[in-house]
Amino acid sequence: MVISARVHSACVAMMELAIRSDEASPVAIREISDRHGVPAPFLTQILRTLRAAGWVQSIRGSNGGYRLSVDPSKITLLDIAEAVGCQEAGCHTDGKATPADLMLQESWEQAAEASRAVLTQVRLSDLVERCRHG
């Protein structure tokens, strides 16, 4: 499994929204962008995807921004990765697989399965708790 900048940034944005979910005002894209160094246009695309998944809510206006709209204990890192387009590592052989290609493909599949197992166990609420106490 390849953890892209898009997946990482989506996880950062979801963590930021979860950490600040008790605040009365929504979190502006600029705040997340400035705090975590994620370009605002890139973050906007990611938040649109997360809104389409039903996990964030957008609030328009000069005091607008985003809020988490789901319980953070219900979302895993794998859920977020899959929502924003996680890619699996693999072997691309153009139909001419050699024995070495097949052996590597098996290793890539094992690595991807191990990654999926870890990411399924980590909930957004777990990360928020670690941030608050860490």
Side-chain angles (χ1 to χ4, degrees):
M1 176 175 297
V2 175
I3 305 298
S4 66
R6 184 174 175 81
V7 169
H8 178 80
S9 297
C11 291
V12 164
M14 290 291 285
M15 284 178 59
E16 187 71 26
L17 295 177
I19 288 168
R20 297 177 62 182
S21 63
D22 293 338
E23 295 180 11
S25 60
V27 181
I29 288 177
R30 180 169 298 262
E31 292 178 55
I32 299 170
S33 176
D34 290 348
R35 183 172 177 152
H36 298 283
V38 179
F42 184 54
L43 190 55
T44 299
Q45 292 174 353
I46 291 167
L47 287 166
R48 284 184 187 146
T49 301
L50 296 171
R51 185 183 70 198
W55 296 340
V56 299
Q57 169 186 28
S58 63
I59 291 86
R60 295 180 183 251
S62 60
N63 293 324
Y66 287 84
R67 285 196 175 125
L68 195 64
S69 60
V70 68
D71 182 345
S73 68
K74 305 288 184 199
I75 299 175
T76 67
L77 289 182
L78 183 62
D79 295 332
I80 298 168
E82 289 177 340
V84 298
C86 182
Q87 297 177 0
E88 295 287 333
C91 181
H92 304 287
T93 61
D94 298 330
K96 299 178 183 177
T98 67
D101 292 331
L102 295 174
M103 294 307 292
L104 285 171
Q105 182 64 32
E106 183 178 323
S107 295
W108 302 149
E109 290 170 4
Q110 289 172 353
E113 188 57 38
S115 295
R116 292 175 68 78
V118 169
L119 296 177
T120 298
Q121 293 176 8
V122 181
R123 300 201 171 280
L124 186 58
S125 58
D126 299 333
L127 296 174
V128 169
E129 195 64 28
R130 282 194 236 165
C131 285
R132 288 184 175 153
H133 298 289

